[in-house]
Amino acid sequence: MIDKMENLKGWAYNTEKLPRDRQLLLLDNVQFIYELALAQLELQSLGAQFEVTNEFREFRLLGAKDEDRLMRRAAYFKFVRGKATDYFKIIQKNRTRSVNQYLTHWIYPYKGKFHPQMIRALLNIIGLKQGNTVLDPFIGSGTTAVEAQLLGINCIGIDVSPLCVIQSKVKTESIYVLPQIVELKPSLFNLETLDDSINSIPNDKVKNFHKMAKLVAISDNARRGRELSNAFLKNLELMISSVSDYCQVVKELNIELGQIDIKTGDSRALPLDNESIDGIVTSPPYSIALDYVANDAHSFKDLGYDALKMRNDFIGVRGTGKTKMELYNADMKKSYSEMYRLLKPNKYAVIVIGNATYQGKEVKTVEFTIDYMGGLGFRLVKNINKIIFGLYNVMKKENILIFKKEG
Ligand SMILES: C[S@@+](CC[C@H](N)C(=O)[O-])C[C@H]1O[C@@H](n2cnc3c(N)ncnc32)[C@H](O)[C@@H]1O
């Protein structure tokens, strides 16, 4: 992680030179067909009338119910009538080289993170407003939580993995304890007593922040052979800068943050009331061939958990051969039924999922999801192919399924 960090770019933008008719300018990183589809859906949802022009990166804005709201919430646009969007300003606060790892998103190299820009757009598309509550019952690295927080949407994030719970908390809660974190820093320079020092921190948010800095360092050490103490201090520094960027962005853009509640839990039995949720955005485990419990074993150990004992609670890793698939399907049925129970009528659930390959065969997870959700009373309103071409022509295909719970 350390070698990817760069100096922060400045805050000032020269927006004046843009001709006014370049009214809706896409962000430079937008390159896939599914992103254009989402960009159009979010414009519609934010009450804009528009035309796609001949220039690939520009849309003509014909009118908008509330132009200021469009500028404040849009995820795929750089400028609205020559004015920089909030999102464009937010993504400048990035200490990494990766365009989607701004603010606290980068903290911990978790496999299978959502693209945050897509989540911001989806929150817009399903019509969530300030003060509504979104649920992600497979919160993973906390992407939905950070994006909801930035849009003033409350978020309940659940994960069975303590590693996911701690990283999601750290990414969304550290902004509330920045002065205490900064104040503590000098006392942590004695690395021999680091564990004891961290464990004796009375404030949980401050303690979690330091546990996370250590986990990032352990991962740097394991993957890149970095010396642990240097990696810890460097990560601590970078994490503090990112949290401080977050505080600055909130102040400068006058953002009213959503309230975030991250809990350890099981998506098959959620401790939440019937019809209490305004929207769901999530990505369930589907790579049954990838054992992500084994993947994160070193971090579980450092957090004091026995990965082997926890396996039974994780969807997609239990059993072998045919049983593995059967267990996966049964677990996902329970999770989808829970989503149906919790969601208010006429609201939306977005499931991002792909077909997995297991024992050389394609497992039709997407079709399974569509069929089962349909049987529960969810209507599929959009099925967007999310095809990404990576290095060496490697193609990754997922589907963005948008369901409506029929009232
Ligand atoms: C595909 S990942 C989600 C990634 C997430 N969207 C992100 O941006 O990081 C799926 C998550 O499901 C979690 N999970 C597996 N079984 C679970 C269960 N029974 N209840 C809740 N979460 C579970 C895993 O720990 C993993 O974090």
Side-chain angles (χ1 to χ4, degrees):
M1 190 52 64
I2 295 167
D3 57 352
K4 286 198 178 160
M5 304 296 162
E6 271 184 332
N7 286 337
L8 184 66
K9 286 187 203 136
W11 241 138
Y13 305 99
N14 184 359
T15 57
E16 271 151 36
K17 282 191 197 123
L18 261 172
R20 220 176 129 70
D21 64 346
R22 293 174 68 181
Q23 294 131 340
L24 281 169
L25 193 68
L26 282 167
L27 276 155
D28 303 338
N29 70 303
V30 177
Q31 52 173 326
F32 297 112
I33 305 284
Y34 85 88
E35 293 178 305
L36 282 178
L38 292 178
Q40 296 192 31
L41 286 175
E42 81 161 346
L43 283 179
Q44 278 165 14
S45 179
L46 293 170
Q49 294 95 48
F50 59 93
E51 265 173 17
V52 182
T53 64
N54 292 334
E55 302 284 332
F56 171 68
R57 308 213 70 82
E58 297 170 14
F59 289 45
R60 201 183 316 282
L61 184 60
L62 304 174
K65 249 198 245 154
D66 182 347
E67 230 171 78
D68 187 57
R69 186 157 176 266
L70 183 60
M71 209 187 59
R72 297 217 54 169
R73 298 191 55 129
Y76 283 112
F77 296 89
K78 193 171 178 176
F79 295 110
V80 174
R81 290 204 206 280
K83 262 185 158 178
T85 59
D86 274 14
Y87 189 70
F88 181 47
K89 292 176 185 167
I90 289 169
I91 63 172
Q92 306 308 311
K93 302 281 188 190
N94 190 341
R95 307 263 168 181
T96 81
R97 279 196 198 132
S98 167
V99 71
N100 58 11
Q101 295 293 291
Y102 50 88
L103 298 180
T104 51
H105 279 301
W106 70 269
I107 297 172
Y108 199 81
Y110 192 69
K111 272 200 180 158
K113 283 182 187 179
F114 270 146
H115 200 302
Q117 187 176 31
M118 175 181 91
I119 299 306
R120 187 174 173 101
L122 287 169
L123 293 170
N124 283 330
I125 290 168
I126 64 170
L128 291 175
K129 306 202 164 52
Q130 223 166 6
N132 284 167
T133 300
V134 66
L135 166 73
D136 186 341
F138 301 102
I139 192 72
S141 64
T143 317
T144 309
V146 173
E147 290 306 313
Q149 185 173 42
L150 285 167
L151 284 172
I153 296 165
N154 303 332
C155 174
I156 300 176
I158 311 264
D159 206 288
V160 74
S161 158
L163 172 65
C164 293
V165 168
I166 190 175
Q167 51 180 306
S168 302
K169 278 178 182 252
V170 166
K171 289 178 188 184
T172 52
E173 293 181 350
S174 304
I175 44 172
Y176 299 111
V177 288
L178 182 61
Q180 288 99 305
I181 290 170
V182 173
E183 195 181 307
L184 198 72
K185 207 175 81 185
S187 67
L188 293 169
F189 280 87
N190 184 354
L191 287 152
E192 266 150 38
T193 52
L194 184 64
D195 280 336
D196 289 343
S197 312
I198 293 178
N199 286 328
S200 66
I201 299 172
N203 180 309
D204 279 345
K205 295 185 176 73
V206 180
K207 191 193 293 190
N208 285 341
F209 182 88
H210 291 90
K211 280 189 179 174
M212 204 66 233
K214 191 178 164 219
L215 288 177
V216 181
I218 291 176
S219 152
D220 274 345
N221 175 269
R223 292 177 319 134
R224 297 162 202 247
R226 279 188 214 297
E227 203 268 310
L228 195 64
S229 53
N230 284 337
F232 173 75
L233 292 175
K234 183 81 189 166
N235 277 312
L236 196 61
E237 202 65 57
L238 282 166
M239 284 172 64
I240 290 175
S241 312
S242 298
V243 173
S244 140
D245 287 347
Y246 204 148
C247 295
Q248 204 189 332
V249 120
V250 169
K251 202 163 152 227
E252 287 179 23
L253 298 178
N254 201 12
I255 294 175
E256 217 174 288
L257 294 171
Q259 287 163 24
I260 308 301
D261 185 8
I262 307 289
K263 305 186 219 274
T264 312
D266 189 334
S267 60
R268 296 167 295 182
L270 293 165
L272 300 166
D273 292 338
N274 293 354
E275 303 192 349
S276 57
I277 297 294
D278 301 293
I280 294 172
V281 175
T282 196
S283 169
Y286 63 87
S287 276
I288 45 176
L290 170 82
D291 191 329
Y292 46 88
V293 180
N295 235 14
D296 290 321
H298 58 283
S299 295
F300 289 139
K301 195 167 155 237
D302 196 70
L303 287 170
Y305 293 89
D306 181 343
L308 275 179
K309 284 199 187 133
M310 292 180 356
R311 285 187 80 80
N312 270 347
D313 299 329
F314 279 76
I315 296 175
V317 300
R318 292 191 295 146
T320 49
K322 207 168 147 243
T323 325
K324 189 168 190 166
M325 272 317 302
E326 284 164 7
L327 286 170
Y328 173 82
N329 288 347
D331 286 345
M332 283 315 301
K333 282 181 180 177
K334 284 189 196 152
S335 306
Y336 289 140
S337 302
E338 278 294 79
M339 292 185 206
Y340 189 80
R341 178 179 72 79
L342 299 169
L343 194 63
K344 292 180 186 169
N346 296 314
K347 300 287 181 184
Y348 298 89
V350 184
I351 314 286
V352 181
I353 197 157
N355 286 345
T357 305
Y358 183 55
Q359 298 185 326
K361 282 199 200 130
E362 191 182 30
V363 184
K364 306 250 179 225
T365 327
V366 178
E367 286 79 350
F368 166 79
T369 304
I370 295 174
D371 285 352
Y372 194 74
M373 294 283 274
L376 288 173
F378 277 114
R379 182 165 60 87
L380 181 66
V381 290
K382 280 265 174 261
N383 178 354
I384 300 168
N385 277 325
K386 177 174 176 276
I387 299 173
I388 288 178
F389 296 95
L391 285 178
Y392 315 111
N393 284 336
V394 175
M395 189 183 89
K396 197 174 157 214
K397 185 174 173 293
E398 290 178 335
N399 290 61
I400 303 167
L401 306 173
I402 308 183
F403 295 97
K404 184 172 186 182
K405 177 173 173 175
E406 295 292 23

